[in-house]
Amino acid sequence: MLWLRNGDRIEGSLVGLDEKEARIRAATGKEIKLQRQKLAIVAFNTELARAPRARGPYGRLVLTDGCRISVAAAHTDGNALAGKTLWGTAVRLPLERLIVLSIHRGRAVYLSDLKPRRYEHTPYLDLRWPYRLDASVAGYDLRVASNTFDKGIGLHAESKLTYDLSAGYQWFEALVGLDDHTGREGTAVIEVLVDGKPQDLGASRELSRPGDPKSIRVNVAGARELTLAVKFGRRGDVQDHVDWVDARLIK
């Protein structure tokens, strides 16, 4: 879609775009040419986008302006990060623009990239909540302790999400907290079970403040199953929106 400075909009397939003009083919088949200076916005249909699939480990960059870039290789000289994207384009970014560099398909695997073995949910009354991958249980960005996370799982009390561990993982790690947006009044209780046995998560398993997440590291070597559980807290299921951010298995 081309959005013009006078407020008009033209929908169709973009044929060409350079410093002088834009060319778009309308639904009627007619090609329309417009001066570049008349354009305000060029919008693309993201549902038609195709991203290249990585065949091995790759990095994902999160920048200060919110952009996400996947890179097949990268290195730094102390001032900037340089590398190549998954489609072969060279990039170079000042380090001050970089917020996060996460590695995918390496020794660590995010739970949200794996298919769960089973999901069990017991609603407090009649409202049922499905689990969410890379989003809060309400469908928003994962927000914990005033930070936004790309990877994680959103769960609501009372629920259990179980994963298969047959690939030979050694550790499970995650940061767990009530969601900043929709879990402010929640009082959920969390559990991590390995082969059905609850693991020691420290002094308290109750989440009662969004700004007080719990860091979890559990040994899963030789185990068959990992289960993430969220139970009702002191206020029943009121805003028991729990985010398991950066939840990952490590070989």
Side-chain angles (χ1 to χ4, degrees):
M1 176 188 292
L2 301 182
W3 201 311
L4 308 186
R5 295 185 183 277
N6 64 4
D8 291 342
R9 289 177 290 179
I10 302 175
E11 295 186 12
S13 299
L14 187 66
V15 177
L17 179 66
D18 56 33
E19 66 277 3
K20 294 182 179 180
E21 65 178 15
R23 304 193 312 278
I24 188 170
R25 183 174 292 110
T28 60
K30 180 181 179 181
E31 184 174 309
I32 302 172
K33 295 182 179 180
L34 294 164
Q35 294 179 357
R36 179 70 178 267
Q37 62 188 18
K38 294 183 178 181
L39 293 181
I41 297 173
V42 179
F44 296 92
N45 185 345
T46 57
E47 294 181 358
L48 301 177
R50 291 184 179 180
R53 299 178 65 89
R55 297 182 179 180
Y58 68 96
R60 184 171 174 84
L61 311 178
V62 181
L63 308 185
T64 53
D65 60 3
C67 289
R68 270 72 169 167
I69 302 175
S70 295
V71 292
H75 65 275
T76 178
D77 58 9
N79 297 311
L81 183 142
K84 286 190 176 182
T85 65
L86 297 185
W87 53 90
T89 302
V91 294
R92 182 177 174 84
L93 300 164
L95 291 182
E96 57 265 25
R97 291 191 59 195
L98 182 64
I99 298 177
V100 175
L101 168 58
S102 56
I103 306 300
H104 297 253
R105 296 189 181 177
R107 290 179 55 204
V109 179
Y110 289 101
L111 286 188
S112 58
D113 291 335
L114 300 175
K115 183 178 180 180
R117 173 174 284 182
R118 62 182 177 273
Y119 175 62
E120 306 163 74
H121 177 54
T122 304
Y124 192 77
L125 294 174
D126 295 326
L127 182 61
R128 304 191 67 86
W129 292 85
Y131 67 90
R132 298 271 190 165
L133 302 178
D134 298 333
S136 72
V137 73
Y140 301 111
D141 289 341
L142 293 161
R143 290 276 299 176
V144 174
S146 300
N147 293 306
T148 302
F149 296 83
D150 281 351
K151 304 298 293 182
I153 297 172
L155 289 177
H156 196 288
E158 184 160 326
S159 60
K160 292 182 178 180
L161 189 63
T162 300
Y163 284 87
D164 175 67
L165 297 179
S166 60
Y169 301 105
Q170 302 296 311
W171 297 95
F172 166 67
E173 295 180 345
L175 182 67
V176 190
L178 292 166
D179 187 81
D180 284 358
H181 289 306
T182 58
R184 296 179 181 179
E185 303 298 325
T187 56
V189 176
I190 60 170
E191 274 191 344
V192 175
L193 299 94
V194 177
D195 289 341
K197 299 178 181 179
Q199 302 299 296
D200 182 9
L201 301 182
S204 175
R205 297 179 294 114
E206 183 178 73
L207 302 175
S208 57
R209 291 182 298 172
D212 187 24
K214 299 185 183 301
S215 181
I216 291 175
R217 180 176 169 87
V218 173
N219 190 328
V220 297
R224 299 184 303 275
E225 286 188 343
L226 170 73
T227 300
L228 313 182
V230 177
K231 296 184 175 182
F232 300 128
R234 290 176 282 109
R235 300 175 184 171
D237 73 338
V238 175
Q239 294 191 10
D240 286 351
H241 296 205
V242 177
D243 295 343
W244 301 71
V245 300
D246 283 345
R248 57 194 180 271
L249 291 164
I250 302 172
K251 292 185 176 180

